[in-house]
Amino acid sequence: MMCHVYFNFRWLEHVRNELEVDDLSQDMMLSWAAFHAGQHISDNLPPLDTGTLLPLFQEHAKSAAMIRHSMDVVRDAVHFLNPGQIPVVAFDQPLYTLAKQIQWNCPNTYGENHLVIMVGGLHIEMAALKSIGDWLEDSGWTTALVQSNVASAGTADSFLKAAHASRTRHTHQVTAAALYILMDTVYKDYLATFDQGTDPLAFDIWPAQRELESHQFQYSSHLCKITREGNF
């Protein structure tokens, strides 16, 4: 069956295989991060970027002057190392607001064709988790979490608003793994209905067919895809 599994299903297939082991006391890499950290890195991948820590500022970063100064420092460092490259600077949400105001008020110096300003990775992840929460609201997801003893009622409701990023991420990974195991069970039942000599649909094609036949399956499949790929 592994030959029919999507590349993005590797982690979910690994979780399913690990949970089928009778001895659950052994160390298992069930989390998404642990599984991918343990994978062999191909020699064909490009080398990692060189990271450098610039001198820290002693002044408060919340002033427009310091934000503008930091943008100048990053721009000069990038142009020195790689002339012609447009710098990309990430800020936390309050500082991102100041940086965008500077960019809009000084387009000739800090315009979008000179500097790319983006919000930090944590805020991007939290925005994505909140979007998933809006999509899951009133779907019965929080009730399922409570009934399965994954979280209490109050904690389950907090996952909809992504009040705690790491806990919310972990719960979505548990949800994706549970949905995949259920989908694998249904696929095995589907295979059992075929006689010898009849070719059933492959596992990577069968979900698309089931989505056309069942709205509930389509919803669950799409949720699994969102959690696994961040594809909305």
Side-chain angles (χ1 to χ4, degrees):
M1 181 175 170
M2 283 295 295
C3 61
H4 299 302
V5 177
Y6 281 124
F7 175 80
N8 289 322
F9 278 153
R10 289 190 307 165
W11 166 66
L12 295 172
E13 182 70 12
H14 168 75
V15 172
R16 185 188 66 81
N17 292 333
E18 289 291 301
L19 292 179
E20 289 181 349
V21 179
D22 293 334
D23 184 13
L24 297 179
S25 61
Q26 60 179 333
D27 295 334
M28 296 181 177
M29 296 186 299
L30 295 182
S31 70
W32 184 94
F35 170 75
H36 287 283
Q39 297 301 298
H40 174 70
I41 300 177
S42 174
D43 297 333
N44 297 326
L45 294 177
L48 297 176
D49 296 334
T50 302
T52 303
L53 179 63
L54 296 175
L56 301 178
F57 299 135
Q58 297 182 357
E59 293 79 4
H60 293 291
K62 60 184 179 181
S63 66
M66 280 305 304
I67 295 297
R68 182 169 179 174
H69 176 62
S70 65
M71 294 164 67
D72 290 336
V73 171
V74 172
R75 181 185 57 189
D76 293 341
V78 171
H79 287 175
F80 176 79
L81 296 173
N82 192 11
Q85 178 181 343
I86 298 178
V88 180
V89 187
F91 292 93
D92 286 338
Q93 195 168 22
L95 304 182
Y96 170 80
T97 303
L98 288 175
K100 291 302 293 185
Q101 290 176 350
I102 294 173
Q103 190 174 52
W104 293 333
N105 290 320
C106 305
N108 294 330
T109 306
Y110 304 103
E112 295 181 353
N113 57 331
H114 299 287
L115 199 68
V116 176
I117 305 297
M118 61 179 292
V119 72
L122 174 62
H123 296 287
I124 294 176
E125 180 183 15
M126 293 186 67
L129 292 175
K130 289 179 181 178
S131 297
I132 298 176
D134 293 339
W135 194 69
L136 284 172
E137 192 170 7
D138 298 328
S139 67
W141 177 62
T142 55
T143 303
L145 294 177
V146 174
Q147 293 179 350
S148 58
N149 296 324
V150 173
S152 63
T155 303
D157 289 335
S158 70
F159 294 151
L160 296 175
K161 304 300 181 184
H164 195 287
S166 61
R167 292 179 183 177
T168 305
R169 184 194 319 120
H170 172 72
T171 305
H172 285 307
Q173 291 179 3
V174 172
T175 302
L179 290 175
Y180 180 81
I181 292 173
L182 291 174
M183 184 173 65
D184 178 73
T185 302
V186 176
Y187 181 72
K188 290 179 179 178
D189 294 339
Y190 162 77
L191 294 178
T193 61
F194 280 84
D195 298 328
Q196 294 182 354
T198 307
D199 294 330
L201 295 175
F203 184 70
D204 54 352
I205 302 176
W206 172 77
Q209 180 65 30
R210 287 292 298 145
E211 290 177 7
L212 298 176
E213 299 171 355
S214 171
H215 295 296
Q216 185 176 6
F217 188 95
Q218 182 184 30
Y219 184 87
S220 301
S221 178
H222 190 54
L223 173 61
C224 188
K225 183 183 299 183
I226 287 177
T227 308
R228 189 181 70 254
E229 303 175 5
N231 183 2
F232 293 86

